[in-house]
Amino acid sequence: MNEPKRTTDDWLAQVQTLLRELKPADTTEQMEASREEVYSRIVRKAGMQAGQRQRVQHSVRRFAPVYEIAVSVVLLLSFSFIAYTYLQSHPSDNEPTSVEWKAMYTPKGKTCSLTLADGTTVTLNIGSSLIYPTSFTGGRQVFLQGEAFFDVEKTGTPFTVQSHLLTIDVLGTRFSLKSYDEEEKTVLTLESGSVKATPASSEQSIVLQPRQQLVYDGRTRKVECQEVTPSDYTAWKEGILVFRDQTIAEIASVLERQFDVRIEIASERLRNERYNALFKHGESLQEILDKLSQHRPWRYVMTNGTIRIAPS
């Protein structure tokens, strides 16, 4: 009897469960054990047969030193996206060739850039990962968790960016995509060219023109489109933080990644307060919080890497 086809939600639920179960690796032996454990568990969850497993080669490129990130988490991201690609693109056992994938991961506090095999350049924001092939044969497809700016080389072959909530199809263009797994909203901002975006919950696509932004809420499955200033949403490449009509909860998520801290907000009313703000490169977390709290009914306390925001 054939197994029911896995949905995106099913696969993401399995990945999130594995993430919760994995622990950081402290020694080389533990790292190697995690490597083998993650590989075997991912391919088992994906339902791959022995022959299929041999065709999925892997190579992980880490932007951070081993001691800064858990190797098991990076590998899990790699194999989860690879297996997800496999399930969506190769429902049978007749795939022609193996594909070698690499993973670029940026830890909290860092950004990085890379050039793909087709000449496309990608700038990854803090706490993001990109899964990409070492060469493009037949098509161009990458997988993003987090936020990145893409300057896509025009080759005549469609370029596809897959995130957990949106699929983006382009030929040659410049755009920013923010799609962190832990956040409900995915934000696509187009600087030039055009893109076609397809939400995970729909078969209908939306075509964006320059200076347009699409916001997709994965919880409500609501899509909103608006005119924006694209540079506000790509300023992070220069280390500048720009917030336009964003809640303190949304800002806190950015600051947590930027400064590797945990931020707790004491009340729902405070979480929904909205702000417009710009912070220059080099401003400290304390300077940012001091400015945000000016003339606002809250105060903050910093204790052992945790910040608590509460009514004043």
Side-chain angles (χ1 to χ4, degrees):
M1 184 172 63
N2 293 331
E3 286 188 19
K5 183 179 180 180
R6 291 174 174 82
T7 65
T8 304
D9 290 341
D10 292 338
W11 179 249
L12 289 173
Q14 292 173 352
V15 171
Q16 289 164 358
T17 298
L18 289 176
L19 271 173
R20 287 192 294 269
E21 294 174 359
L22 286 169
K23 302 294 189 295
D26 297 320
T27 68
T28 301
E29 290 76 11
Q30 288 174 340
M31 291 175 194
E32 291 303 322
S34 286
R35 192 191 310 273
E36 293 306 317
E37 176 193 7
V38 171
Y39 178 71
S40 60
R41 294 175 71 184
I42 287 293
V43 294
R44 186 169 64 249
K45 286 287 187 182
M48 295 182 188
Q49 303 300 318
Q52 297 170 340
R53 299 179 194 184
Q54 294 172 1
R55 296 187 183 99
V56 182
Q57 302 175 3
H58 59 277
S59 175
V60 177
R61 176 185 180 188
R62 295 185 298 278
F63 180 69
V66 167
Y67 59 80
E68 289 188 12
I69 54 175
V71 172
S72 57
V73 175
V74 181
L75 286 170
L76 176 62
L77 289 170
S78 305
F79 289 121
S80 64
F81 276 110
I82 292 169
Y84 173 73
T85 310
Y86 190 92
L87 289 170
Q88 297 296 311
S89 305
H90 301 86
S92 69
D93 293 345
N94 298 322
E95 65 283 353
T97 60
S98 60
V99 177
E100 185 179 358
W101 297 86
K102 286 191 175 183
M104 174 67 82
Y105 174 78
T106 53
K108 293 180 179 179
K110 296 181 182 292
T111 62
C112 69
S113 298
L114 71 156
T115 302
L116 303 181
D118 63 342
T120 292
T121 58
V122 184
T123 304
L124 280 179
N125 203 356
I126 294 165
S128 303
S129 55
L130 184 77
I131 311 303
Y132 60 98
T134 54
S135 63
F136 294 105
T137 56
R140 298 189 292 169
Q141 187 174 32
V142 299
F143 302 85
L144 173 70
Q145 188 286 130
E147 184 171 15
F149 179 81
F150 292 85
D151 189 348
V152 179
E153 186 75 10
K154 190 170 184 178
T155 67
T157 301
F159 186 95
T160 300
V161 181
Q162 176 74 58
S163 75
H164 71 299
L165 291 177
L166 282 181
T167 299
I168 315 299
D169 293 304
V170 303
L171 283 176
T173 186
R174 293 165 57 88
F175 66 95
S176 177
L177 178 63
K178 181 180 181 182
S179 186
Y180 287 98
D181 287 350
E182 66 271 19
E183 295 183 0
E184 294 174 347
K185 293 182 179 180
T186 288
V187 182
L188 170 63
T189 307
L190 182 61
E191 182 177 299
S192 64
S194 66
V195 300
K196 180 176 71 173
T198 308
S201 62
S202 172
E203 294 183 357
Q204 293 186 336
S205 299
I206 300 164
V207 177
L208 295 188
Q209 300 302 321
R211 301 179 62 84
Q212 287 187 326
Q213 181 182 79
L214 180 151
V215 180
Y216 176 67
D217 191 318
R219 181 177 56 84
T220 64
R221 298 185 176 182
K222 183 180 179 181
V223 176
E224 294 182 353
C225 291
Q226 57 187 349
E227 295 280 338
V228 298
T229 302
S231 59
D232 286 348
Y233 298 89
T234 59
W236 54 266
K237 294 191 297 176
E238 282 73 48
I240 300 171
L241 299 179
V242 180
F243 302 106
R244 296 295 184 223
D245 192 33
Q246 290 180 264
T247 66
I248 191 63
E250 292 171 329
I251 294 173
S253 293
V254 175
L255 297 180
E256 284 181 326
R257 288 189 292 267
Q258 183 81 20
F259 295 98
D260 196 12
V261 296
R262 180 182 177 187
I263 300 178
E264 299 175 348
I265 304 174
S267 73
E268 194 64 25
R269 180 180 63 81
L270 285 179
R271 290 180 61 84
N272 292 320
E273 283 205 0
R274 294 188 170 273
Y275 296 77
N276 289 292
L278 182 151
F279 300 103
K280 298 177 182 178
H281 177 66
E283 289 197 69
S284 69
L285 176 59
Q286 184 170 346
E287 289 173 326
I288 292 173
L289 290 173
D290 285 343
K291 291 178 181 179
L292 286 173
S293 60
Q294 267 187 333
H295 311 301
R296 294 281 185 161
W298 57 268
R299 56 185 175 82
Y300 69 93
V301 177
M302 307 174 86
T303 308
N304 298 326
T306 297
I307 297 168
R308 180 173 173 79
I309 294 176
S312 56

